[in-house]
Amino acid sequence: MKILNITIKDEDGEVRLDRWVKRNYPQFTQGMIQKLCRTGQIRVDKKRIQASTHLNTGNVVRLPLVEKDVLSSKKNHDMDSHFSKKVKSWIIYEDSDLFVINKPSGIAVQGGSNVRFHIDGMLEALRENSNYRPCLVHRLDKDTSGILLIARHPAAAAKLTAAFRGRAVKKIYWAITTGRPVSSSGRVTLPLLKVERPGESYVVVSEENKNAQKAVTEYMVKDYAARKFAWVELYPLTGRMHQLRVHCSAMNCPILGDRKYNQVNGSLEGFPELLHLHARAIIIPHPQGGYLEVEVELSSHMKETFKRLGFDMPSGNCVKVNKNKKYN
């Protein structure tokens, strides 16, 4: 049996011993960890501890390694090298704490039924020489293109996740809608309820069901083509499933190419049969302080539609890291 003595780093973040072990050595079950702690085989700074003990930077964990090491145990044998290269090509910014990709439409962020390739499954390829597998800190729908943030290590993931949960993040989406909102700007405050059917999940507006969740979206019309199409900037103040798509549909201007919530779908006009919803920009506290501001260029099908409708083509990728800035 090989005995490891591992020093806890800042990048590990504040974490319980059992969670740290399972994160880095997934071959250990909760029962195994508790037994090894009871028998004194797992120790922290040479002292007996419980599985629930919180670790601090500088602690030394004694761990008996009973199986293969973390790198081989975490290896994704189903990883497709071509797809992982594509994921790398989507990176528009990276530093020691995180990286940002411009996700194309049609690529799933996480696995599910009938999903072979997804971003989460390819993150092992982005580990490089780090001891930590990169991890997702938020999500995008499969058919939504645009900004996706990924943390390089647990400490950064904890800070970024806390920012999303604490509503300290400003997210800006662009959509092309079929129809134009009655008002040029406004706020939608319709609660949403997730509905499950065999092989399908979708969301409906429900102001009466007590299980419906509060959902708030602000919007501004940036341009329009007669009253048939509009370029709408959307600011989700909550993060519900399909929130922007359902709120646009509730305003009688569903998003172009939305097969789930747009009955007309816009494809009858000869436009690309893809969802015209793009995570355009984000402003978020950087793990090292200050703020990270990112804008990403439109997906190819939205560029085509912008050109056809005569909308001004926006600039491409833009990243700013201002570690002294305070954002309100």
Side-chain angles (χ1 to χ4, degrees), residues 245-263:
R245 297 163 66 181
V246 177
H247 276 178
C248 284
S249 182
M251 291 193 292
N252 295 317
C253 53
I255 297 174
L256 179 65
D258 191 342
R259 299 182 181 184
K260 191 181 289 281
Y261 301 108
N262 186 347
Q263 299 304 314

Side-chain angles (χ1 to χ4, degrees), residues 9-16 23 54-57 154-155 158:
K9 302 177 181 178
D10 289 336
E11 290 84 355
D12 288 299
E14 297 180 5
V15 65
R16 284 168 43 135
R23 174 200 294 162
H54 278 78
L55 299 175
N56 297 310
T57 300

Side-chain angles (χ1 to χ4, degrees), residues 99 119-127 133-136 150:
F99 52 88
I119 302 295
D120 192 41
M122 295 298 112
L123 293 183
E124 181 68 34
L126 302 177
R127 177 198 288 267
R133 179 184 184 275
C135 60
L136 301 167
I150 300 170

Side-chain angles (χ1 to χ4, degrees), residues 253-321:
C253 53
I255 297 174
L256 179 65
D258 191 342
R259 299 182 181 184
K260 191 181 289 281
Y261 301 108
N262 186 347
Q263 299 304 314
V264 176
N265 197 33
S267 60
L268 297 177
E269 303 290 337
F271 289 94
E273 296 185 29
L274 295 170
L275 182 68
H276 286 62
L277 179 63
H278 181 71
R280 166 64 175 174
I282 194 169
I283 304 174
I284 185 169
H286 192 281
Q288 296 298 324
Y291 275 80
L292 172 70
E293 303 179 46
V294 184
E295 289 183 353
V296 297
E297 66 179 342
L298 290 172
S299 55
S300 58
H301 72 278
M302 286 189 69
K303 287 181 179 179
E304 179 183 334
T305 300
F306 264 62
K307 183 177 180 180
R308 179 171 178 177
L309 295 177
F311 296 153
D312 290 335
M313 190 64 65
S315 59
N317 299 327
C318 178
V319 181
K320 299 177 183 178
V321 182

Side-chain angles (χ1 to χ4, degrees), residues 140-178:
L140 289 178
D141 289 346
K142 177 180 178 180
D143 295 323
T144 301
S145 59
I147 294 172
L148 187 68
L149 269 67
I150 300 170
R152 285 197 178 277
H153 53 78
K159 291 179 180 179
L160 293 169
T161 301
F164 277 100
R165 288 177 178 169
R167 310 281 171 82
V169 180
K170 182 174 183 179
K171 296 176 286 184
I172 300 173
Y173 288 73
W174 281 358
I176 301 297
T177 62
T178 54

Side-chain angles (χ1 to χ4, degrees), residues 60-74:
V60 178
V61 179
R62 177 194 187 275
L63 183 69
L65 195 60
V66 295
E67 295 181 25
K68 55 188 178 180
D69 63 50
V70 63
L71 294 180
S72 60
S73 67
K74 281 191 172 182

